[in-house]
Amino acid sequence: MVHLARRHGHSPARLSAPQPRPPTDLPLPLLPPPSLASLLLAAVASSPSLPHLRHLHGLLVRLHPYLPPPSTPFLLSRLLRRLAALPLPPTPTQLRYAVAVFSSLSPPDPFLAAALLRFVHLTQPPLETFRVFSRLRRAHGRDLPFLPFAFSPLAKSAAAARSLPAAAGAHAVSLLLGGFDKHRFVGNSLIGAYVACGDVGAARKVFDEMMVKDVISWTSIVAAYSRIRDMGSAEEVFALCPVKDMVAWTAMVTGYAQNAMPVKALEAFEQMAVAGMPIDEVSLTGAISACAQLGAVRRAAWVQEIAERNGLGRNVVVGSGLVDMYAKCGLIDEARRVFEGMQEKNVYTYSSMIVGLASHGRANDAIALFKDMVRRADVEPNHVTFIGVLTACSHAGMVKEGRYYFAQMKDMYGILPSADHYACMVDLLGRAGLVIEALDLVKSMTVEPHGGVWGALLGACRIHGNTEVAKVAAEHLFKLEPEGIGNYVLLSNTLASAGEWDEVSKVRKLMRIRGLKKDPAVSWFEGRDGFVHQFFAGDNTHPWMLEIKKRLLELRAELKLAGYVPILSSVVYNVSEEEKERLLMGHSEKLALSFGLLTLESRSSIRIVKNLRICEDCHLFIRLVSKVEPIEIIVRDNMRFHHFRDGECSCGGFW
């Protein structure tokens, strides 16, 4: 009707309250059938285009006097909803028409005002919702009382804009115009806005003041605490949650997994399954991530069984996660079996397999799979794929090949190198002893180097004892990551290996000033029953510790007869050689290895996961153990996998 009126030079029609019936001496119009409102609703819901909606709008204006009083605002709100769903780019004309739809009803309707604000939130730039809200307030004042649902689009717009002032503004107007901030629907939207803007404290305050909370309220706060790595508060809220549904359980599983608490993630996932909760793709992905972090083989098989039982075994996202999980559990052949069995593969599936092969030192297999992907599978590689390929080259010392694929990435596939790709190249050059060339590459970067780039350079300096370049890399790292304890430790260890103890003291003093504490070295070992045992460096808490240390002493004596000489430079403390040797025997991976030798009935393989890089002495020690014991020992540190067998390691000296 609006566009028809404009066509004839008139202003848009306005709908007012139904007029009195015409005098009885005039012919009465035929009354519409009772189902007219439902017919109009169906027509609006299926409308295919804007012209069609305009036609229906005009029809509603004409039929307004004959519809029951609540029908017209409801139908107009549905018209706005359908307009928002049309694949139209956001334009001022589109917004003007939506405002005209609202203005065509007089007096202004609160229900339709909420629909208009929702339309603006869905179709216009985020903060436009606030401008339209202000226009409605100025134009109608007290004549337009807002419903609670009108404030939710404001909060969601603030969240979309990541604007904390806008979130506070939405909170303020919801409070001032009726105390709607305590309404469940509005409160949940405000919680989401504050969380999106990074103010979890404000979100918690809204949550605490809500009169009625639903599972969305509880779950939002749990997820918010997980996001800021405060799992203690997340646990407290979750424990108080009166109804724990699938979403709430999933928030805990994924929260634990994302915050490097894999044991608790798997415990929560198991409790979720026992409680009879449906298992979906998200919760399963969290459990898969936890297994990958732990390297827990038996748990990995259990998670895959649950995936297949719930019909998710063929899901491409879950399948890609399973490939990554088995690779990180040390079962690269099982990862390949899952990969080959997947009917649908995408770039993420291929990338997971390529990265897995690279981390296990199978550089040639990784590159062959990459070639197969682009040649036969017709899958375009992405930036993650090339990270896998470059990592494969780095872990095998393939400098020439790495340079080739680094150039091919841009020249053939149009992928501009990111800081992550440069980090791979710096790592490749640095591991190969080309530290100065690696530094020159950093200086020539087309993007700003991040901590990963300088960290790769510092790691190379640790391997090759280049203290001067190490100081340059560390200076940048201390600015980029002032709380990154690992950077201080790496520099300190590099300086200690070079005997620069005065410089070591300066670094350790800086750590004390900044209140930084070294992350404890920890190794995990999965027992026969699936229980994951945890060992810290110098640990004396494990119930088997007496037997573990006795077995270690026996191993050391046996290995010394085979030529083992402890690498004392792996201890970065200025203490006696005897004390250094004692400290080396307390390293967490040695404790886990000894426990594995004591408890595993089948000596086919021992799998150990460590949170830090394996030291040179432990690498030598475990390599020699694999020579005197008929077993394969698989160690995953924070850099890669090491497969020890018959006195050799799959890394070939590059780690």
Side-chain angles (χ1 to χ4, degrees), residues 68 200 303 308-309 326 335 338 392 598 616 642:
V200 177
V303 168
E308 293 174 351
R309 193 189 311 152
Y326 277 121
V338 173
L598 286 168
E616 289 181 81
H642 301 265

Side-chain angles (χ1 to χ4, degrees), residues 72-403:
T72 303
F74 175 74
L75 288 169
L76 289 176
S77 71
R78 289 292 175 171
L79 187 146
L80 289 178
R81 175 170 294 197
R82 181 58 189 160
L83 178 61
L86 292 177
L88 300 173
T91 62
T93 302
Q94 185 187 19
L95 178 58
R96 281 196 297 271
Y97 176 63
V99 173
V101 171
F102 166 78
S103 301
S104 64
L105 193 62
S106 181
D109 183 81
F111 187 83
L112 192 54
L116 173 62
L117 293 172
R118 179 183 180 276
F119 169 85
V120 178
H121 161 62
L122 292 175
T123 64
Q124 304 298 311
L127 297 182
E128 186 65 34
T129 313
F130 287 86
R131 284 187 276 272
V132 172
F133 178 82
S134 297
R135 286 167 56 188
L136 293 179
R137 287 279 296 151
R138 288 195 301 270
H140 301 287
R142 294 182 179 275
D143 293 335
L144 179 59
F146 285 97
L147 296 174
F149 303 103
F151 300 100
S152 181
L154 293 177
K156 291 179 178 179
S157 296
R162 298 293 191 270
S163 170
L164 187 57
H171 192 177
V173 295
S174 68
L175 174 65
L176 293 173
L177 297 181
F180 294 125
D181 60 312
K182 296 176 178 59
H183 187 279
R184 174 174 55 85
F185 192 74
V186 179
N188 287 343
S189 299
L190 289 172
I191 289 172
Y194 280 126
V195 170
C197 297
D199 193 340
V200 177
R204 180 60 188 267
K205 185 176 180 182
V206 172
F207 174 82
D208 289 338
E209 293 178 354
M210 287 173 65
M211 299 293 190
V212 179
K213 304 176 181 70
D214 60 12
V215 70
I216 296 175
S217 319
W218 291 92
T219 304
S220 298
I221 293 296
V222 169
Y225 280 126
S226 301
R227 188 178 300 179
I228 63 170
R229 305 180 67 85
D230 185 359
M231 289 307 297
S233 296
E235 289 171 343
E236 291 175 6
V237 174
F238 182 76
L240 295 172
C241 181
V243 179
K244 299 175 176 66
D245 68 352
M246 179 187 73
V247 179
W249 277 105
T250 299
M252 290 302 296
V253 173
T254 56
Y256 284 131
Q258 291 167 1
N259 287 287
M261 302 172 73
V263 174
K264 287 201 169 187
L266 289 175
E267 288 175 353
F269 184 73
E270 187 171 3
Q271 291 168 9
M272 179 181 179
V274 170
M277 292 292 115
I279 302 297
D280 67 351
E281 179 183 304
V282 180
S283 58
L284 198 57
T285 301
I288 288 171
S289 172
C291 288
Q293 292 175 51
L294 275 177
V297 175
R298 291 169 180 80
R299 295 294 187 93
W302 170 67
V303 168
Q304 183 181 9
E305 180 185 339
I306 290 179
E308 293 174 351
R309 193 189 311 152
N310 286 270
L312 294 168
R314 296 179 180 273
N315 181 289
V316 68
V317 175
V318 173
S320 301
L322 290 172
V323 168
D324 180 66
M325 176 187 73
Y326 277 121
K328 288 179 177 175
C329 287
L331 300 173
I332 190 63
D333 293 326
E334 184 67 16
R336 192 65 184 258
R337 187 192 66 78
V338 173
F339 174 83
E340 298 294 349
M342 291 178 63
Q343 294 182 347
E344 179 186 356
K345 301 182 183 76
N346 59 21
V347 66
Y348 303 105
T349 318
Y350 275 95
S351 298
S352 295
M353 193 68 244
I354 290 170
V355 170
L357 290 167
S359 68
H360 284 266
R362 297 190 181 182
N364 291 327
D365 289 343
I367 293 172
L369 182 60
F370 171 78
K371 292 178 179 178
D372 185 67
M373 178 187 79
V374 297
R375 183 178 66 250
R376 293 199 307 165
D378 197 28
V379 176
E380 280 286 312
N382 63 12
H383 71 285
V384 177
T385 317
F386 277 102
I387 287 175
V389 172
L390 294 174
T391 300
C393 296
S394 176
H395 285 174
M398 300 165 64
V399 176
K400 180 181 177 181
E401 292 82 354
R403 287 172 174 155

Side-chain angles (χ1 to χ4, degrees), residues 6-26:
R6 283 179 177 162
R7 184 182 298 172
H8 294 289
H10 302 297
S11 59
R14 294 174 62 85
L15 298 179
S16 57
Q19 300 297 316
R21 288 294 184 92
T24 55
D25 56 341
L26 296 177

